[in-house]
């Protein structure tokens, strides 16, 4: 019994709290477990398990206190063990209140564990690899005294014996002095299960000069098999055969035809694990090289070859053979760079087995978590073929599923996977590592250089945009690597419309101006003429990706997947014809893009699609030849553009519309479009909506450049922010600058180069119906709300769009986003502004203003009237100057951080006024690069630090 208990201690000293269960576990950190077979088997027989969060934590080290609890769970069962307690402290560092006190007391009383000479147990201490190996050897029957596991040099004897019987097999970097980790403990315990037990002839203990010495009749000898089942299939008795007699080990092959071991416990399969290959290659290899690498002395003229688990053509592994595993005569095209070629050698029978395993790339299309066996669905990007290297294999339906811990994956993750044709299923899935950078060059079918590093192509490489030839140098890409560091998937960097532009005009250094320049229509609708690093006349009339260096010089590269609806090309036109024909010519007179649908007819027979992320730059010219470029994001916000005016007879006019656009990869989804709609039928698209919170309006601010404006908390489209509203608005603007009593909702906002809002238009009735009133009511239904009326029943019910943009505005003008209509509370006094989408009748925007009837709004601080305020900051001190002060009057000065759409109060200090002008200092630690508001009474000053 003591021998068994010492083994139990050795096995579990590395582990934390476990639950006993059979079968291999799917740990959430499976990918970080090095010794997978060992962990699966040890956890499968119920000795160890993972944590409550589903992970195993393979690199954590062992604790003595937790080991005591596991021992008790194994000996007594978890239920009985949970009632253990300690009446007195078992060791001076283990009080009765210690969570492990009961377990430690029990194990100590049974002689399973011992404390230290100083009377401590050290429950949180770790164990070294040497100490753990000593325990395992003791469990196998080795006697410490006889084998020399005592004294100053005990570790030498322990490691010599442990290595001699294979306890450290699988860990070539074993360091006995280091604390053993959980997965290392599992590996050594796994090896111990398969190690042969030993015993001694009669042993006698004698006293020599006061010291007890054990004398054995002989050295340790292996224990005979006896009546125990030979489940480990080795001579004599292995530890597992004595103490885990329901654990069975069977030699077999896995689904890739590799020699393997199948483990079962109590009839339940734990798993099948391939043997370690004798040699492994990642490209095609000569058969003579295999002969040499295996150190063979006799050829195998019929070495079996398997491709993804299916038998292929036999080959002759012989000395000096220059034929490769894959050649025109056998296994043609089955091996290339990135293929894994594992070779197994049965030296006793001189049999060579060659297993070719391909790695493919795919993306996670979905994952299913709410089933007993969670799985991910893999969409293969690589072409998977049969062993003839040409017949495609469809990885779809149930074949595309892979059972795993789905927490490790997200939809659209790029993954590497292996597929067994013999089993007709995916066998492994791991996330692929990626590298981002600028493409320097590439050699067709061989390699590419990204960010100055060359990468070979893996055999099953795939391109998200369809073809390798679509790549352009000096453009940015994301490449994904296989396990050998070869590129297996190439993707464009995530689309960023801000880095795209349409090339309107170009000139080269050969022109009369003597420099390379281009005129670009930027993604924000602005037009820039810039110097370039090269002659880009060939890019005129197309969409480009651009970069500017620190000197303002631009480098251009044609965007990937550019299309035009012109026939044959679109060319820029002379200035004189712009008013009639626009900036382009040669488009299609059958163009049709409607605000209510995603489909866009660019020309007869060609349909593409816009989505919520598509960016449209639309050109329109007036009678004087002035061209305006308007920008819209999302097909629902873009205008309707048609060659024919639907309000008149289509036979009376037909206007060509030009469209130059990019698509996402090889799909028909438009990412960026430049449209010349001059002369065509155009109805306004939905521009950005701007909301200004009246209660947040400051008094007029004059900054250091004498810009005069009012600062508002605001919503710009769907972003809570602040907006500086220019005091003197441009002619035609509907914005009431400085208004602090009525909330404003406008559109088509324009800003000057100082970032001040200079003008805006009223909400277009062709886009939205504006709803205003008092009373907001929560109604039954997921997307319903009542507006107006003094009760819910008296209100008007509206449907709220699932993607509606909704906000609360409190009595100080602070804006808070409402994520769900269910979070809106009924309020009979709240006022509202709602924008009803005329297309579908749903509320698209809703702004709810809270009202405090007991508060006088906009009055400022009581009794404080000033004519001016200014401030400066230096080394933790704000110096404030108040103008128009009275001697002896107290003036509260508040410093707030301007943070997004709100003012965050930092501190308020009372300043005693002097006659006319008062200067005071206030201690405040402000951050460089931030903006602050200093206010007193009805005066405010914006302080930039």
């Amino acid at each position: 019994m003591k021998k068994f208990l010492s083994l139990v201690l050795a096995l579990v000293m590395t582990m934390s709290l476990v639950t006993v269960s059979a079968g291999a576990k799917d740990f959430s950190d499976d990918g970080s477990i090095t010794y997978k077979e060992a962990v699966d088997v040890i956890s499968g027989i119920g000795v160890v398990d993972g944590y409550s969060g589903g992970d195993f934590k393979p690199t954590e080290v062992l604790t003595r206190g937790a080991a005591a609890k596991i021992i008790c769970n194994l000996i007594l069962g978890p239920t009985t063990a949970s009632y253990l307690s300690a009446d007195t402290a078992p060791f001076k560092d283990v009080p009765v209140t210690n969570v492990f006190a009961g377990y430690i007391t029990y194990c100590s009383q049974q002689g399973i564990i011992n404390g230290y000479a100083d009377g401590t147990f050290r429950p949180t201490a770790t164990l070294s690899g040497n100490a753990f190996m000593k325990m395992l050897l003791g469990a196998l029957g080795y006697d410490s005294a006889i084998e020399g596991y005592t004294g100053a040099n005990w570790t030498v004897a322990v490691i010599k014996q442990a290595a001699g019987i294979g306890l450290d097999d699988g860990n070539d970097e074993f360091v006995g002095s280091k604390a053993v980790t959980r997965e290392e403990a599992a590996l050594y315990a796994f090896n111990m299960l398969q190690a042969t037990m030993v015993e001694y002839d009669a042993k006698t203990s004698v006293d020599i000069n006061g010291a007890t010495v054990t004398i054995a009749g002989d050295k340790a000898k292996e224990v005979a098999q006896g009546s125990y089942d030979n489940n480990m299939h080795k001579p004599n008795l292995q530890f597992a055969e004595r103490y885990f007699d329901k654990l069975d080990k069977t030699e077999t092959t896995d689904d890739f035809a590799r020699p393997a071991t199948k483990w079962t416990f109590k009839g339940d399969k734990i798993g099948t694990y391939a043997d370690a290959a004798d040699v492994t290659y990642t490209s095609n290899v000569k058969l003579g090289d295999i002969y040499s690498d295996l150190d063979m002395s006799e050829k195998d003229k019929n070495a079996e070859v398997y491709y993804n688990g299916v038998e292929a053509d036999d080959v002759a592994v012989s000395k000096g053979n220059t034929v490769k595993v894959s050649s025109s005569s056998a296994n043609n095209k089955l091996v290339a760079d990135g293929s894994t070629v594992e070779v197994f050698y049965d030296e006793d029978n001189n049999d060579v087995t060659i297993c070719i395993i391909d790695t493919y790339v795919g993306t996670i299309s979905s994952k299913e978590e709410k089933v007993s066996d969670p799985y991910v669905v893999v969409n293969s990007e690589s072409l998977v073929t049969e062993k003839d290297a040409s017949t495609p294999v469809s990885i779809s339906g149930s074949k595309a599923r892979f059972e795993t811990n789905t927490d490790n994956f997200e939809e659209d993750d790029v993954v590497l996977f292996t597929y067994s044709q013999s089993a007709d299923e995916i066998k492994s899935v791991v996330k692929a590592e990626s590298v981002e950078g600028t493409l320097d060059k590439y050699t067709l079918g061989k390699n590419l250089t990204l960010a100055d590093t060359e990468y070979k192509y893996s055999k099953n490489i795939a391109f998200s945009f369809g073809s390798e030839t679509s790549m352009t140098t000096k453009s940015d890409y994301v490449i994904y690597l296989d396990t050998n560091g070869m590129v297996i998937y190439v993707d464009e960097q995530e689309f960023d419309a801000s880095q795209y532009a349409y090339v309107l005009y170009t000139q080269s250094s050969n022109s009369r101006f003597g420099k390379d320049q281009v005129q670009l229509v930027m993604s924000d609708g602005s037009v820039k003429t810039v110097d370039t690093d090269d002659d880009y006349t060939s890019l005129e009339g197309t969409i480009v990706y651009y970069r500017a260096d620190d000197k303002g010089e631009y480098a251009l590269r044609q965007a990937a997947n550019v299309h035009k609806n012109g026939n044959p090309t679109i060319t820029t036109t002379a200035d004189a014809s712009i008013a009639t024909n626009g900036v382009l010519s040669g488009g299609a007179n059958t163009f049709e893009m409607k605000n209510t649908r995603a489909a866009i007819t660019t020309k007869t027979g060609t349909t593409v699609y816009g989505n919520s992320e598509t960016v449209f730059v639309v050109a329109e010219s007036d009678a004087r030849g002035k061209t305006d470029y308007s920008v819209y994001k999302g097909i629902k916000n873009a205008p309707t553009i048609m060659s024919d005016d639907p309000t008149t007879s289509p036979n009376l006019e037909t206007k060509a519309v030009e469209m130059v656009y990019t698509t996402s990869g090889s799909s028909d989804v438009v990412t960026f479009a430049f449209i010349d709609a001059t002369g065509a039928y155009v109805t306004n698209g939905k521009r950005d909506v701007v909301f200004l919170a009246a209660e947040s309006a400051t008094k007029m601010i004059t900054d250091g450049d004498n810009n005069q404006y009012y600062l508002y908390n605001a919503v710009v489209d769907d972003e809570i922010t602040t907006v500086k509203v220019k005091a003197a608005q441009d002619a035609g603007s509907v914005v009431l600058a400085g208004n602090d009593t009525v909330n404003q909702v406008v559109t088509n906002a324009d800003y000057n180069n100082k970032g001040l809002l200079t003008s805006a238009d009223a909400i277009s009735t062709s886009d939205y119906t504006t709803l205003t009133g008092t009373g907001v009511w929560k109604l039954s239904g997921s997307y319903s709300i009542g507006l107006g009326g003094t009760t819910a029943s008296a209100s008007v019910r509206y449907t709220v769009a699932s993607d509606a943009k909704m906000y609360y505005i409190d009595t100080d003008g602070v804006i808070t986003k409402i994520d769900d209509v269910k979070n809106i509370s009924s309020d009979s006094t709240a006022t509202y502004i709602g924008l009803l989408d005329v297309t579908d009748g749903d509320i698209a925007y809703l702004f709810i203003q809270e009202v405090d009837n007991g508060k006088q709004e906009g009055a400022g601080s009581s009794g404080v009237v000033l004519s001016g305020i200014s401030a400066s900051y230096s080394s933790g001190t704000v110096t404030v100057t108040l103008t128009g002060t009275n001697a002896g009057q107290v003036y509260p000065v508040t410093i707030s951080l301007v943070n997004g759409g709100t003012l965050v109060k930092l501190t308020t200090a009372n300043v005693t006024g002097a006659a006319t002008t008062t200067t005071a200092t206030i201690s405040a630690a402000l951050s460089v690069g931030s903006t602050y508001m200093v206010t007193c009474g009805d005066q405010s000053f914006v302080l930039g630090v």
Side-chain angles (χ1 to χ4, degrees):
M1 181 63 179
K2 286 185 178 180
K3 186 178 294 183
F4 171 75
L5 293 176
S6 65
L7 162 72
V8 173
L9 175 62
L11 285 175
V12 302
M13 209 63 163
T14 63
M15 311 303 169
S16 297
L17 180 62
V18 303
T19 57
V20 178
S21 58
K25 312 297 189 300
D26 284 326
F27 297 112
S28 60
D29 53 358
D30 263 348
S32 61
I33 297 175
T34 303
Y35 311 120
K36 177 65 175 163
E37 181 178 4
V39 171
D40 281 356
V41 172
I42 292 298
S43 63
I45 63 176
V47 174
V48 299
D49 208 343
Y51 290 80
S52 58
D55 52 349
F56 183 76
K57 300 182 180 179
T59 59
E60 283 200 355
V61 295
L62 42 126
T63 65
R64 290 164 56 86
K69 181 173 183 178
I70 297 172
I71 292 171
C72 294
N73 284 340
L74 289 171
I75 297 172
L76 304 173
T79 301
T80 301
S82 66
Y83 289 100
L84 292 173
S85 62
D87 296 329
T88 59
F91 297 92
K92 64 182 184 181
D93 61 343
V94 183
V96 294
T97 55
N98 186 291
V99 66
F100 297 119
Y103 308 111
I104 293 170
T105 298
Y106 179 82
C107 291
S108 177
Q109 291 172 347
Q110 299 300 314
I112 302 169
I113 56 177
N114 296 308
Y116 291 87
D118 61 0
T120 63
F121 180 74
R122 304 175 194 174
T124 60
T126 62
L127 286 180
S128 68
N130 292 328
F132 189 65
M133 287 298 192
K134 179 180 178 181
M135 295 175 184
L136 295 180
L137 290 170
L140 287 169
Y142 291 94
D143 189 286
S144 294
I146 295 173
E147 303 295 339
Y149 303 160
T150 59
N153 296 319
W154 68 271
T155 58
V156 175
V158 165
I159 297 310
K160 181 179 179 180
Q161 185 67 66
I165 63 173
L167 291 188
D168 63 345
D169 283 358
N171 183 7
D172 295 333
E173 299 179 358
F174 175 79
V175 179
S177 59
K178 293 176 61 176
V180 66
T181 66
R182 284 170 53 83
E183 70 169 348
E184 287 172 344
L187 174 66
Y188 308 148
F190 172 71
N191 291 335
M192 183 273 302
L193 288 175
Q194 303 168 77
T196 303
M197 301 192 70
V198 299
E199 60 184 358
Y200 297 87
D201 289 337
K203 293 185 291 185
T204 303
S205 295
V206 297
D207 186 282
I208 301 177
N209 297 326
T212 301
V213 178
T214 301
I215 301 174
D218 201 349
K219 291 185 177 181
K221 63 180 182 180
E222 295 185 350
V223 177
Q225 187 71 45
S227 61
Y228 295 101
D229 292 335
N230 188 17
N231 293 337
M232 296 296 105
H233 308 287
K234 293 171 64 176
N236 296 317
L237 182 67
Q238 284 70 55
F239 182 86
E241 293 170 345
R242 181 168 183 176
Y243 294 110
F244 295 91
D245 60 345
K246 301 300 182 183
L247 178 65
D248 190 67
K249 173 185 177 183
T250 305
E251 301 303 321
T252 183
T253 56
D254 71 358
D255 288 334
F256 291 110
R258 297 175 295 188
T261 301
K262 177 182 178 182
W263 291 93
T264 59
F265 183 57
K266 297 181 179 179
D268 294 325
K269 181 179 176 179
I270 294 175
T272 299
Y273 305 88
D275 294 351
D278 292 291
V279 288
T280 301
Y281 308 92
T282 58
S283 60
N284 210 357
V285 57
K286 294 177 182 178
L287 297 169
D289 290 344
I290 295 177
Y291 182 93
S292 298
D293 292 340
L294 292 175
D295 197 24
M296 297 175 66
S297 57
E298 181 182 352
K299 70 177 180 181
D300 182 353
K301 63 180 181 180
N302 295 116
E304 293 180 340
V305 177
Y306 294 87
Y307 176 69
N308 286 342
V310 176
E311 189 169 4
D313 302 324
D314 289 356
V315 293
V317 177
S318 57
K319 185 176 182 179
N321 191 345
T322 58
V323 176
K324 294 185 176 182
V325 172
S326 175
S327 67
S328 58
S329 59
N331 308 309
N332 191 25
K333 298 181 180 180
L334 291 188
V335 183
D337 288 341
S339 298
T340 298
V341 181
E342 295 187 355
V343 182
F344 301 86
Y345 183 39
D346 180 354
E347 192 171 357
D348 293 338
N349 298 302
N350 197 48
D351 283 338
V352 176
T353 301
I354 301 173
C355 297
I356 305 166
I357 303 171
D358 266 349
T359 297
Y360 305 97
V361 67
T363 53
I364 300 298
S365 60
S366 64
K367 60 181 186 176
E368 180 56 64
E369 302 167 319
K370 298 179 180 179
V371 292
S372 57
D373 295 312
Y375 60 85
V376 294
V377 178
V378 179
N379 175 48
S380 178
E381 301 289 345
S382 299
L383 174 64
V384 181
T385 68
E386 295 184 2
K387 66 178 181 179
D388 61 8
S390 60
T391 303
V393 175
S394 175
I395 308 296
S396 60
S398 60
K399 290 198 295 185
R401 298 178 181 178
F402 179 72
E403 293 182 6
T404 185
N405 187 318
T406 57
D407 292 340
N408 297 331
F409 300 95
E410 298 295 336
E411 290 186 8
D412 298 325
D413 278 350
V414 176
V415 295
L416 307 175
F417 72 94
T418 57
Y419 164 77
S420 166
Q421 189 176 338
S422 63
D424 198 19
E425 65 183 17
I426 292 174
K427 301 304 297 182
S428 67
V429 177
V430 296
K431 290 179 68 171
E433 293 186 4
S434 63
V435 179
E436 298 182 8
T438 301
L439 181 66
D440 301 313
K441 63 180 180 179
Y442 64 96
T443 303
L444 285 174
K446 291 183 177 295
N447 57 57
L448 60 78
T449 301
L450 192 80
D452 298 323
T453 302
E454 183 178 286
Y455 299 89
K456 283 185 176 181
Y457 286 175
S458 188
K459 175 188 175 185
N460 296 304
I461 189 171
F463 300 86
S464 70
F465 36 84
S467 170
E468 176 188 10
T469 56
S470 296
M471 291 194 299
T472 55
T473 57
K474 297 188 180 180
S475 294
D476 290 338
Y477 293 90
V478 183
I479 63 171
Y480 293 85
L481 308 179
D482 67 11
T483 53
N484 304 306
M486 300 179 188
V487 57
I488 194 168
Y489 191 59
V490 183
D491 194 8
E492 295 173 292
Q493 279 201 344
E494 186 174 350
F495 180 76
D496 179 4
S498 67
Q499 296 299 306
Y500 283 72
Y502 178 79
V503 182
L504 200 57
Y505 299 111
T506 63
Q507 68 175 19
S508 71
S509 57
N510 295 325
S511 69
R512 56 180 161 177
F513 296 102
K515 60 169 59 177
D516 295 314
Q517 286 187 317
V518 298
Q519 188 176 63
L520 303 174
V521 180
M522 314 303 284
S523 60
D524 62 358
S526 63
V527 179
K528 287 184 177 181
T529 299
V530 299
D531 295 335
T532 58
D533 66 343
D534 205 347
D535 179 356
Y536 292 116
T537 53
S538 63
L539 296 181
E540 190 168 288
T542 192
I543 295 171
V544 295
Y545 174 84
Y546 68 85
R547 280 182 173 176
D549 62 20
D550 53 5
K551 297 179 181 179
E553 191 173 73
Y554 280 60
L556 310 184
R557 297 294 176 266
Q558 179 167 318
N561 308 308
V562 176
H563 310 272
K564 304 178 180 182
N565 72 341
N567 187 14
T569 60
I570 295 176
T571 58
T572 53
T573 62
D575 291 348
S577 64
I578 285 179
T580 304
N581 298 322
V583 294
L584 307 179
S585 63
N589 58 15
T590 55
F591 186 91
E592 184 174 280
M593 181 173 84
K594 290 186 176 181
N595 176 261
T596 55
R597 68 184 188 188
I600 304 169
T601 301
T602 64
K603 60 183 179 181
T604 301
T606 301
T607 300
V608 294
Y609 298 88
N611 60 22
S612 61
E613 298 299 316
T614 304
V615 174
F616 299 91
V617 178
V618 180
E620 294 183 81
S621 301
D622 60 22
R624 292 168 293 177
K626 181 179 181 295
T627 302
D628 289 321
Y629 299 96
S630 301
V631 179
Y632 308 87
K633 183 177 181 181
I635 188 65
K636 287 183 64 177
N637 299 319
T640 291
I641 303 174
M642 301 174 67
S643 293
D644 292 327
D645 186 342
T647 64
T648 62
S649 173
N651 296 324
L652 295 182
E653 76 290 314
T654 299
K655 175 63 182 71
V657 174
E658 293 79 23
M659 178 173 170
V660 185
Y661 59 98
T662 61
T663 57
S664 177
S666 58
S667 73
D668 52 10
V669 177
V670 178
T671 53
F672 183 91
F674 180 85
I675 303 173
D676 186 353
T678 300
Y681 172 79
V682 181
T683 61
N684 287 334
K686 294 169 185 172
R687 312 283 187 86
D688 284 352
V689 170
V690 177
F691 170 84
L692 303 175
E695 296 288 357
S696 69
T698 64
K699 296 299 179 181
M700 189 172 70
I701 298 168
T702 301
D703 64 18
D705 295 324
N706 290 319
N707 297 304
Q708 293 184 318
Y709 60 90
Y710 300 88
L711 186 66
Y712 285 85
N713 291 343
V715 176
V716 178
D717 200 28
D718 194 23
E719 180 184 0
I720 298 174
T721 183
T722 54
V723 170
K724 298 175 181 178
V725 177
K726 186 180 178 183
Q729 289 283 290
D730 293 349
S733 175
V734 301
V735 175
L736 301 176
N739 168 43
D740 61 359
T741 58
V742 179
N743 293 329
Q744 302 178 70
V745 180
V746 295
T747 189
N748 297 347
D750 290 325
Y751 301 84
N752 65 15
N753 60 1
K754 303 296 183 181
L756 306 184
L757 189 153
T758 58
S759 69
D761 298 333
I763 298 296
S764 172
T765 56
S766 64
D767 294 331
Y768 301 106
T769 299
T770 302
L771 309 173
T772 60
T774 302
V776 178
W777 305 96
K778 186 174 184 177
L779 304 178
S780 60
S782 299
Y783 297 102
S784 296
I785 194 169
L787 298 178
T790 56
T791 63
S793 60
S795 67
V796 179
R797 177 186 286 266
Y798 291 95
T799 300
V800 178
S802 59
D803 59 350
K805 302 169 178 66
M806 302 176 290
Y807 305 89
Y808 270 125
I809 303 91
D810 70 11
T811 54
D812 293 320
V814 177
I815 303 171
T816 304
K817 187 171 184 178
I818 304 171
D819 293 321
D820 195 306
V821 70
K822 293 182 290 187
N823 297 331
I824 297 176
S825 302
S826 295
D827 188 340
S828 63
T829 63
T831 62
Y832 61 84
I833 300 176
L835 300 184
L836 196 69
D837 193 320
V838 297
T839 302
D840 54 26
D842 292 345
I843 289 179
Y845 290 85
L846 183 61
F847 304 94
I848 302 173
Q849 174 68 60
E850 296 178 347
V851 175
D852 185 350
N853 294 325
K855 178 180 178 181
Q856 182 181 357
E857 302 294 341
S861 299
S862 176
V864 175
V865 178
L866 295 171
S867 59
I869 184 173
S870 63
S872 62
Y873 176 75
S874 177
S875 302
T877 300
V878 177
T879 301
V880 180
T881 300
L882 307 177
T883 306
T885 55
N886 299 317
Q889 183 173 344
V890 176
Y891 294 87
V893 178
T894 298
I895 302 173
S896 302
L897 170 68
V898 180
N899 182 22
T902 63
L903 296 177
V904 180
K905 179 180 175 181
L906 301 181
T907 185
T908 297
N910 290 325
V911 175
T912 302
T916 309
T917 301
T918 302
T919 299
T921 57
I922 301 172
S923 296
L926 307 186
S927 300
V928 175
S930 296
T931 302
Y932 299 85
M933 181 76 73
V934 183
T935 58
C936 183
D938 59 354
Q939 297 293 313
S940 301
F941 182 85
V942 176
L943 177 60
V945 177

